[in-house]
Amino acid sequence: MSVASADVHGVVQTLTQSSNTLFLLLGAIMVFLMHAGFAFLEVGTVRHKNQVNALVKILADFGVSAIAYFFIGYWLAYDAHFFADAQTLSQGNGYELVKFFFLLTFAAAIPAIVSGGIAERARFYPILIATFFTVGFVYPLFEGIIWNGNFGVQAWFEHRFGYGFHDFAGSVVVHGVGGWIALVAVVFLGMRKGRVRAGKHTNFAPSNIPFLALGAWILCVGWFGFNVMSAQTLDGISGLVAMNSLMAMVGGIIASMIAGKNDPGFIHNGPLAGLVAVCAGSDLMHPIGALVTGAIAGVLFVHVFTYLQNKTRIDDVLGVWPLHGLCGAWGGIAAGVFGQTALGGLGGVSVVVQVLGTLAGITIAVCGAIIVYGAIDFFSGLRLSEEDEFNGADLAIHKISSTSED
């Protein structure tokens, strides 16, 4: 190779590396912004006396998540750490550092999901301790199995069934795991005071529909970074992912509007249900398959959340288990169904493996959450006192309310 050719090759390589770094950085920023969506969705749903706590909890959870994932979780999932000098870490335009940032925003979605389920009655610091352990150990255990091939599980799937477990952007790895962890936390905390009166369930109305809608819109926009930029490099980007995300979102909107009888809470959560479900197979489904996947997710969310609120003692405030846990599980299976070439997909996926992988994610999430939340509940307690719950988490924990007393 001539000197001129070598120079050109070096320039092209540098440009490619820097472009990929910028691409993934933009994705990380978009997903980071989604945490504002989580916050405002919760703020708009909870009662006024718990709005400050919702905002603080999401941001504090992100800070704790970053520490847990930086020192433990990322290392556990990818056998990579940051105990090196800055010159070494910044090689390749710092692409590996930006990759950590991108994957951190995924990991931090776990406590953000949990937060919506346990709202209005959870103690502050015990929940942050739970965040540290779920993000540092539980989530990366399954993340590493699926996205890094740890423990030979993916290799066994490929050997036994011909294909590995396919989860392009985290229907199961992120949303399913987060939703099932949340279910365990919700069960440990029990129902909010006043939810059952004279033997009948009473539902607390959302405190601020505009804030709820703002949260949903932020999440919807950021989700295109969540899904499309999961390619992690420019040469891997696919318009199919964007199109499928769009169609699943639309399917969720229409289905939840009909099934939810025009309820604004359902209509604004419907697109999120569709987007959760399409994450896994967004890179291989046909757009019509994505539309159906999103529509089924929208109906699933509306009916399961309604049943939980009116017929059970599972007090999931934002419905994060049906939205993320069940729709995430459906998304893992849907990738195996609508990814088949017979249904217009790109193929390379097995329904059996998708079911087994989904069940594995649920098992790890539930078992890990029982250990973490069970231990914290035993040693320190998870729930606010009855008086603090009555006064609201804003005053009990943060000594301030969301509105002026003037």
Side-chain angles (χ1 to χ4, degrees), residues 344-363:
L346 299 181
V349 66
S350 162
V351 176
V352 174
V353 172
Q354 293 305 115
V355 171
L356 292 176
T358 299
L359 291 175
I362 292 171
T363 301

Side-chain angles (χ1 to χ4, degrees), residues 86-262:
Q87 183 175 358
T88 301
L89 294 175
S90 62
Q91 291 177 354
N93 298 97
Y95 176 82
E96 291 300 323
L97 300 180
V98 173
K99 179 181 177 181
F100 163 79
F101 181 17
F102 183 70
L103 292 172
L104 164 64
T105 60
F106 280 49
I110 300 299
I113 291 168
V114 174
S115 178
I118 64 175
E120 301 202 309
R121 75 274 201 200
R123 295 176 64 199
F124 189 63
Y125 286 108
I127 293 303
L128 291 183
I129 293 171
T131 291
F132 183 87
F133 284 101
T134 52
V135 175
F137 295 95
V138 181
Y139 166 74
L141 176 61
F142 188 64
E143 177 191 19
I145 288 172
I146 302 305
W147 285 345
N148 197 48
N150 294 354
F151 305 112
V153 175
Q154 288 283 45
W156 182 81
F157 280 150
E158 292 174 8
H159 174 74
R160 181 67 178 80
F161 301 100
Y163 302 105
F165 179 73
H166 188 90
D167 192 353
F168 180 71
S171 284
V172 180
V173 174
V174 179
H175 299 285
V177 167
W180 285 88
I181 288 175
L183 175 63
V184 173
V186 166
V187 171
F188 269 110
L189 278 162
M191 296 188 76
R192 289 168 289 173
K193 298 297 181 183
R195 282 275 286 112
V196 177
R197 299 175 185 174
K200 295 183 178 180
H201 284 65
T202 300
N203 295 320
F204 302 130
S207 61
N208 193 311
I209 294 294
F211 274 163
L212 186 158
L214 175 63
W217 275 103
I218 293 172
L219 285 166
C220 285
V221 173
W223 223 296
F224 287 87
F226 195 101
N227 282 2
V228 175
M229 292 173 174
S230 284
Q232 299 189 19
T233 58
L234 275 172
D235 61 349
I237 195 170
S238 170
L240 182 64
V241 177
M243 182 65 170
N244 284 340
S245 300
L246 175 67
M247 296 306 288
M249 181 183 73
V250 170
I253 293 171
I254 301 300
S256 62
M257 178 182 67
I258 296 171
K261 300 177 182 179
N262 302 328

